[in-house]
Amino acid sequence: MSDNTLSIIAVLKAKEGQQENLKSALQALIAPTRQEEGCLDYALFQLQETPDVFYMRESWKGQEALDAHIALPHFQAFVQQMDALLAEPLQLVRLNAVEP
């Protein structure tokens, strides 16, 4: 990965009764996002011990690529659903690669 690579984990917790709806909404983001030019990795995980919590592992070719993603219609459609689906605000955890 280049020095410009931006790696993040998005943490999303479903409102009570919205777990499957949140999962479906997140799954709908995967295919179009992976086709974006600036996307290096976009993978969805559901916690085993806490199945109402999802992690989206993302890597981008820099902040500009992430900004472009956020502005696209498929992500904006998800943003419109967030209040109904999320128990708490979306959390973005920025990561730094640690390599030998």
Side-chain angles (χ1 to χ4, degrees), residues 15 30 37 49 60 64:
K15 279 186 178 176
I30 295 171
E37 184 178 333
E49 294 82 16
W60 300 94
E64 301 79 22

Side-chain angles (χ1 to χ4, degrees), residues 37-50:
E37 184 178 333
C39 180
L40 300 171
D41 180 43
Y42 202 75
L44 179 62
F45 300 88
Q46 185 173 16
L47 274 64
Q48 288 184 3
E49 294 82 16
T50 322

